Amino acid sequence: ILFGPPGAGKGTQAKMLIDKFDIVQISTGDMLRGAVSARTALGLRAKKVMESGGLISDEIIIGLVKSRIQEADCQAGCLFDGFPRTIPQALAMIDEKIDIDHVIEISASDEDIIDRLSGRRFHPASGRTYHINHNAPKRPGFDDLTGDPLIQRDDDLEDTVKTRLKIYHQQTKPLVEFYRNLKSTHYHHLNGLGSVEAITEKVLSILR
C-alpha cells in the first residue's frame, strides 16, 4: 500500500513500482475517474462528491476493490494507491484476507501540497502534466506539443485541495498508527520532499 496526503507523489512512485516488479496498480481514484468519464451509474453518483473534495462511501469503494482483485492480472500481487483511506476500509481488507506485505507512507506539509496541486495543469488528450511554477508549459495555458488548451481538474482547485487535506487528516491519517501497530505488515515512512528520483531510490531501498 502507498498512502499519504493527496499530491504527495504516490501516483508517480506507483508507476515506478508496477514497472519494476511487474505487478498491477489498483488506484481507486483512477477507477472512479474512469467511471465518471464513462458516465456509469457509479460515476454519476461519485461525480458530485469528488468535485466537492469529499470521500466516496466505504461501501462503494470496498465493493469496487473486491471486484477488481478477483481479476486474473491481480493473482501475482498488486499495489494499492490511495486505498484504504479509512480504518473501516483497512479492517475490510483484513476481513477479506488480503495480505499486505508493505505499507509506505509518503508525507508532505499542507503548504507544499496546496502549491503542488493548485498549480497542476493537464492536457486531457495525452495526460501530460504541467505545473505553473515548477514545470511550466512554454506558452502559459497551452500544451507544448499540440498547442491545445490545458485544464485544471476540479479537485485541484485550491479550496477543494484544502477540503481534501482536512478530510485526509480526519479520516486517513489515523491509518498511520493502525499500520504501525499491525504486526503482520511492514510499515515505513518517507518524506515526500525532494526529487522524484531520490524518493524512488528510498522506496526501492525499503523493498530490497
Side-chain angles (χ1 to χ4, degrees), residues 107-128:
S107 67
S109 71
D110 286 5
E111 292 76 14
D112 286 321
I113 295 297
I114 292 167
D115 174 67
R116 282 186 190 181
L117 295 189
S118 64
R120 286 200 303 196
R121 300 294 184 271
F122 291 87
H123 179 237
S126 68
R128 278 186 291 277

Side-chain angles (χ1 to χ4, degrees), residues 93-106:
M93 293 182 77
I94 293 173
D95 290 342
E96 291 297 313
K97 297 181 170 54
I98 301 170
D99 296 323
I100 302 299
D101 299 304
H102 294 276
V103 174
I104 300 176
E105 178 198 5
I106 302 178

Side-chain angles (χ1 to χ4, degrees), residues 6-76:
K10 301 184 299 297
T12 300
Q13 297 305 321
K15 288 179 174 59
M16 177 277 299
L17 288 171
I18 61 175
D19 290 340
K20 176 77 173 176
F21 296 103
D22 195 24
I23 57 175
V24 176
Q25 176 186 4
I26 296 181
S27 167
T28 53
D30 288 347
M31 293 164 72
L32 285 166
R33 278 188 286 274
V36 169
S37 297
R39 297 184 63 82
T40 65
L42 171 63
L44 294 174
R45 289 171 59 191
K47 187 173 188 291
K48 289 183 181 178
V49 182
M50 291 171 68
E51 287 179 347
S52 70
L55 285 178
I56 307 301
S57 72
D58 286 349
E59 180 184 3
I60 292 174
I61 292 292
I62 291 165
L64 199 66
V65 171
K66 281 182 184 178
S67 174
R68 180 67 182 88
I69 63 175
Q70 299 303 317
E71 296 180 25
D73 60 353
C74 291
Q75 297 313 301

Side-chain angles (χ1 to χ4, degrees), residues 164-180:
R164 294 169 69 193
L165 284 167
K166 181 179 179 181
I167 292 171
Y168 171 78
H169 288 301
Q170 290 174 344
Q171 299 191 21
T172 307
K173 192 67 174 174
L175 285 169
V176 170
E177 288 306 313
F178 179 87
Y179 281 115
R180 274 181 178 159

Side-chain angles (χ1 to χ4, degrees), residues 85 112 154:
R85 292 179 187 265
D112 286 321
D154 289 335

